[in-house]
C-alpha cells in the first residue's frame, strides 16, 4: 500500500473480528479500534482519533450496521466505509446505495467471508475526506439572465466521451456533454442550469448552441478520416416544439453531415406519459435519418412501452445496472435482460458508466455492443480526441479483445 491507513472494525462475532484484524494487519492497515455493535462503536469514536476507514458488519445485536451508517451520516463523521455481510447480494447492494445517497464514501460492499483480494480492491478506491465534504451544500443556482448572457457570449463548451466497441476497442462514436465555462464561477455542470433554461424557455437555444459545437467537431473529425457518430442530448420540452425536427435537420445540413452520424439521446423518463407532439417529432427525426437513443434505460417504469412506440436505434443501459454487475447477481440478471431485449429489437446496446475491468468482461460475455465510461475514456475537449486516440489505440484494443479471440467486428 502506498499510504498508511487506520481502520476501525465493527463486528459482533469475535472469530470474524479476529479474522478481519489479521487480514487488515497483513496488508498494512493499522487497526485502531474494535467494537461488537454500532452503539459501542459510536461511544468509542468519541474518545479516539477518527479512523480513515470503518469496516462494518451489517447484522449485529443492539445497533446494527445499517443504523450505525445512518448515525455516521447524520453526525457528518468523515470516514470511508466498507460494509460486509453474509446476507444476500441484493441486501448488500441496497446498503451500498444507501451509503452513496448519504454522501458517505463507500469503498466496497463485501460478502463474507472477508478475503485479502476483496479488501485490497475496496482500498484501491480510498481518497481522504473532510467533514465539510459530507455536509449538504446548496446547489449553485444560475439565473435565466445569466444563461441568456452566456448564450450571447458563447460561454458554453462541449466535452466528448468516447464510445468503444466491446470486442475490438475501436471508437464508434462520442457523447456530447455540455459545460458552461463561466467567467467568474468556473466550470458549471448541466444540473445547475438545464432546469432553469427549461423553465424560462431557453432550452431550444441551448440545444442549438451545443449541437453547433458538436457538429463543428464532427465535421473536423470526418475531414480527418475519423468517421464516428456524435450523440447529443435532447430535452422533452424541445421535442414538443413542432418545428424542432426541421431546425435540427437544417442545422445538420449546413455542416454537410449525413444525419446517420448524429444520434439524438432522449432519457427514458422524458418520454413517459401523454407526449403525442414529442413522439411526432421523434418519428420525423428518425424519418430524416437521425439515430435515436433511449438513454438511462431501466430507470423508468415504462421501459417496454417506450421501446414499443418510439423508433429507437440504440439502447443505453443506465450505469446503475452496470457498476458492480460482476459481483451482484441481481444486476447481472437485469443487464443480461436489457442486452437480450436490444438484440431481439435489433438495437445497438451501449453500457454507460463502465469503470471496472470485471464489469467489462461481463458485458463482453453477455454480448453488449459498445461501452462508455472511465475505464476506456473520460470526457475531453474535442481537440484532445485525436491525440488521445493515437496514444490509447493499442491499450483499447488490448483491453477490449476477449481472451483467446482475435478482434472482429
Amino acid at each position: 500500500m502506498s499510504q498508511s491507513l487506520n481502520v476501525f472494525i465493527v463486528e459482533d462475532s469475535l472469530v470474524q473480528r479476529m479474522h478481519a484484524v489479521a487480514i487488515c494487519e497483513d496488508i498494512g492497515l493499522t487497526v485502531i479500534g474494535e467494537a461488537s455493535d454500532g452503539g459501542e462503536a459510536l461511544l468509542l469514536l468519541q474518545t479516539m482519533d477518527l479512523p480513515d476507514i470503518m469496516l462494518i458488519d451489517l447484522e449485529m445485536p443492539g445497533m446494527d450496521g445499517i443504523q450505525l451508517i445512518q448515525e455516521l451520516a447524520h453526525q457528518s463523521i468523515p470516514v470511508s466505509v466498507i460494509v460486509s455481510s453474509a446476507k444476500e447480494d441484493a441486501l448488500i447492494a441496497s446498503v451500498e446505495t444507501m451509503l452513496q445517497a448519504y454522501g458517505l464514501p463507500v469503498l466496497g460492499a463485501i460478502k463474507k467471508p472477508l478475503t485479502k483480494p476483496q479488501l485490497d480492491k475496496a482500498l484501491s478506491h480510498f481518497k481522504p475526506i473532510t467533514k465539510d465534504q459530507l455536509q449538504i451544500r446548496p446547489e449553485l443556482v444560475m439565473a435565466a439572465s445569466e444563461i441568456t448572457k452566456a448564450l450571447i457570449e458563447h460561454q458554453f463548451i462541449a466535452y466528448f466521451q468516447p464510445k468503444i466497441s466491446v470486442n475490438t476497442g475501436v471508437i464508434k462514436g462520442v457523447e456530447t456533454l455540455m459545460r458552461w465555462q463561466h467567467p467568474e464561477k468556473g466550470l458549471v455542470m448541466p444540473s445547475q442550469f438545464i432546469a432553469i433554461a427549461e423553465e424560462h424557455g431557453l432550452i431550444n437555444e441551448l440545444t442549438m448552441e451545443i449541437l453547433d459545437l458538436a457538429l463543428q467537431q464532427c465535421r473536423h473529425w470526418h475531414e480527418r478520416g475519423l468517421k464516428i457518430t456524435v450523440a447529443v442530448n435532447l430535452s422533452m420540452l424541445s421535442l414538443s416544439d413542432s418545428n424542432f425536427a426541421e431546425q435540427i435537420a437544417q442545422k445538420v445540413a449546413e455542416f454537410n453531415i449525413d444525419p446517420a452520424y448524429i444520434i439524438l439521446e432522449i432519457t427514458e423518463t422524458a418520454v413517459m406519459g401523454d407526449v403525442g407532439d414529442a413522439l411526432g417529432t421523434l418519428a420525423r427525426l428518425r424519418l430524416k435519418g437521425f439515430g435515436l437513443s433511449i438513454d438511462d434505460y431501466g430507470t423508468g417504469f415504462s421501459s417496454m412501452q417506450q421501446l414499443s412506440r418510439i423508433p429507437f436505434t440504440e439502447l443505453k443501459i443506465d450505469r446503475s445496472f452496470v457498476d458492480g454487475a460482476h459481483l451482484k447477481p441481481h444486476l447481472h440478471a437485469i443487464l443480461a435482460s436489457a442486452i437480450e431485449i436490444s438484440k431481439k429489437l435489433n438495437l445497438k446496446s451501449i453500457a454507460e458508466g463502465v469503470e471496472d475491468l470485471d464489469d467489462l468482461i461481463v458485458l463482453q460475455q453477455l454480448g453488449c455492443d459498445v461501452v462508455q465510461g472511465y475505464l476506456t475514456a473520460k470526457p475531453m475537449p474535442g481537440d484532445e480526441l485525436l491525440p488521445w486516440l493515437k496514444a490509447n489505440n493499442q491499450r483499447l484494443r488490448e483491453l477490449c479483445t476477449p481472451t483467446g479471440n482475435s478482434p472482429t467486428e
Side-chain angles (χ1 to χ4, degrees):
M1 291 176 56
S2 60
Q3 54 186 321
S4 177
L5 300 177
N6 298 325
V7 62
F8 189 124
I9 299 171
V10 189
E11 164 68 63
D12 65 305
S13 166
L14 178 59
V15 172
Q16 293 282 358
R17 196 161 67 246
M18 292 174 63
H19 173 66
V21 169
I23 290 179
C24 288
E25 291 179 343
D26 186 45
I27 62 177
L29 295 174
T30 301
V31 179
I32 63 170
E34 300 177 40
S36 59
D37 77 354
E40 182 184 357
L42 288 175
L43 289 174
L44 287 173
L45 286 173
Q46 296 174 12
T47 65
M48 59 188 288
D49 292 334
L50 287 178
D52 299 302
I53 299 162
M54 292 189 72
L55 178 60
I56 301 175
D57 179 31
L58 293 185
E59 192 175 19
M60 296 180 291
M63 181 184 289
D64 60 37
I66 295 174
Q67 292 173 299
L68 173 57
I69 290 167
Q70 291 172 327
E71 283 301 315
L72 293 174
H74 293 157
Q75 296 181 32
S76 296
I77 296 176
V79 62
S80 296
V81 174
I82 301 173
V83 297
S84 66
S85 177
K87 290 294 186 180
E88 66 271 15
D89 293 331
L91 173 60
I92 298 174
S94 67
V95 174
E96 186 176 16
T97 302
M98 180 188 76
L99 275 161
Q100 293 167 344
Y102 279 132
L104 283 173
V106 51
L107 304 184
I110 298 172
K111 188 166 184 177
K112 292 182 180 179
L114 180 68
T115 65
K116 183 178 176 181
Q118 286 177 316
L119 190 55
D120 269 331
K121 184 172 183 178
L123 292 172
S124 69
H125 302 299
F126 177 81
K127 293 180 181 178
I129 59 170
T130 64
K131 189 169 184 175
D132 289 342
Q133 289 174 277
L134 298 182
Q135 294 173 346
I136 298 174
R137 286 170 287 183
E139 185 85 349
L140 180 65
V141 177
M142 310 303 293
S145 58
E146 290 183 277
I147 298 176
T148 301
K149 184 173 184 289
L151 283 166
I152 294 171
E153 297 181 357
H154 302 290
Q155 295 176 8
F156 294 100
I157 60 175
Y159 274 54
F160 301 90
Q161 186 168 33
K163 299 176 179 180
I164 306 298
S165 169
V166 169
N167 290 322
T168 67
V170 173
I171 186 170
K172 309 303 287 186
V174 294
E175 178 181 0
T176 308
L177 303 169
M178 177 180 277
R179 304 288 185 262
W180 181 353
Q181 190 63 65
H182 196 284
E184 287 90 34
K185 299 172 183 176
L187 201 63
V188 181
M189 304 304 283
S191 61
Q192 297 168 308
F193 60 84
I194 291 294
I196 301 297
E198 290 181 328
E199 182 180 345
H200 291 84
L202 297 170
I203 193 62
N204 279 14
E205 288 82 354
L206 208 54
T207 299
M208 288 302 168
E209 180 78 0
I210 197 66
L211 179 62
D212 194 74
L213 294 172
L215 292 172
Q216 289 178 33
Q217 283 295 336
C218 184
R219 181 75 268 154
H220 174 77
W221 292 325
H222 284 195
E223 288 173 349
R224 282 152 183 77
L226 185 61
K227 292 281 190 173
I228 58 174
T229 62
V230 175
V232 177
N233 292 279
L234 297 186
S235 165
M236 184 61 190
L237 294 181
S238 296
L239 296 177
S240 299
D241 184 340
S242 59
N243 297 318
F244 190 67
E246 292 300 329
Q247 294 172 11
I248 293 280
Q250 182 178 349
K251 176 70 73 173
V252 173
E254 290 173 4
F255 283 87
N256 195 29
I257 294 174
D258 186 335
Y261 286 103
I262 306 302
I263 310 297
L264 304 172
E265 295 192 4
I266 307 96
T267 60
E268 178 187 329
T269 50
V271 289
M272 295 172 65
D274 184 14
V275 288
D277 289 339
L279 296 181
T281 298
L282 290 170
R284 288 196 298 277
L285 287 167
R286 184 69 193 110
L287 196 62
K288 294 175 185 296
F290 292 94
L292 299 180
S293 179
I294 181 168
D295 198 8
D296 300 335
Y297 179 78
T299 57
F301 299 99
S302 303
S303 304
M304 298 301 103
Q305 184 183 29
Q306 311 317 327
L307 291 175
S308 68
R309 66 181 184 170
I310 298 172
F312 288 112
T313 57
E314 289 185 357
L315 186 154
K316 292 192 75 176
I317 305 167
D318 188 71
R319 67 183 61 244
S320 62
F321 302 114
V322 175
D323 186 26
H326 69 285
L327 293 174
K328 303 169 184 176
H330 68 293
L331 291 187
H332 188 285
I334 294 170
L335 202 55
S337 175
I339 293 171
E340 183 181 3
I341 287 171
S342 69
K343 289 184 180 300
K344 290 182 176 179
L345 296 177
N346 198 30
L347 305 178
K348 180 181 291 184
S349 56
I350 300 176
E352 296 185 286
V354 181
E355 299 184 1
D356 190 288
L357 178 59
D358 290 328
D359 289 333
L360 174 65
I361 293 171
V362 169
L363 291 164
Q364 289 175 330
Q365 293 170 343
L366 293 176
C368 185
D369 296 313
V370 174
V371 292
Q372 179 182 339
Y374 276 33
L375 179 66
T376 50
K378 296 180 180 181
M380 64 191 76
D383 58 3
E384 294 181 10
L385 182 67
L386 289 173
W388 171 86
L389 192 58
K390 184 177 180 180
N392 287 271
N393 223 339
Q394 185 61 32
R395 178 184 71 87
L396 292 172
R397 290 179 181 274
E398 293 174 355
L399 183 68
C400 294
T401 300
T403 303
N405 296 321
S406 59
T408 56
E409 269 300 298

